[in-house]
Amino acid sequence: MSPRTYIAVVGGHHVDDATVRRAEEVGRAIAEAGAVLVCGGRGGVMEAACRGARSAGGTTLGILPGESREDANDHIDVAVATGLGEMRNMVVVHSADVVIALAGEYGTLSEIAFALRVGTPVVGIDTWELARRGQGVSDGIVRVDDPRAAVTEAMRLARR
């Protein structure tokens, strides 16, 4: 059995329709690439990406903040109840070869920061801008505009 690529999809729980469509397309493209979609297992970007992955026959892994697997969205194949709350964000990052961030709130920012801290590449679509001492950071998020381009770039980065 050859090793599979694990791609984390992170983003906000409360999202607009355009972000939902992009997340679904990212999920579909992850499945079509033969990768496993890893996420926080709940709603918003996570649910939309899982829905897209499942529609293309993909595998989804949800790392849940609470103590019950029942809290997972309906499109999760494997649910892991951690009881860790928001600290499960580090588990999401460590479970992935690369992270795709779509839009997002502070939880997404924490996942981006954790990923960069441990050397996991981050691909971003309409997500956080990073700066250090008022200057933009060029060694952070690889920016793309298109969901399929995000997955293509994520697969390339995961192979490095």
Side-chain angles (χ1 to χ4, degrees), residues 88-131:
R88 69 73 151 80
N89 292 353
M90 182 61 96
V91 178
V92 170
V93 167
H94 274 288
S95 298
D97 301 303
V98 61
V99 173
I100 297 176
L102 285 96
E105 299 164 19
Y106 290 120
T108 305
L109 179 59
S110 75
E111 288 163 314
I112 291 168
F114 287 144
L116 296 175
R117 176 75 173 125
V118 299
T120 301
V122 178
V123 177
I125 302 174
D126 191 33
T127 193
W128 288 87
E129 299 283 335
L130 301 180

Side-chain angles (χ1 to χ4, degrees), residues 46-99:
M46 298 168 282
E47 183 172 14
C50 289
R51 185 171 43 250
R54 291 285 299 279
S55 75
T59 301
T60 59
L61 167 62
I63 310 293
L64 299 162
E67 296 179 359
S68 174
R69 290 187 305 271
E70 299 300 316
D71 294 337
N73 72 59
D74 292 338
H75 310 285
I76 292 291
D77 291 309
V78 179
V80 178
T82 66
L84 294 173
E86 292 301 315
M87 287 311 299
R88 69 73 151 80
N89 292 353
M90 182 61 96
V91 178
V92 170
V93 167
H94 274 288
S95 298
D97 301 303
V98 61
V99 173

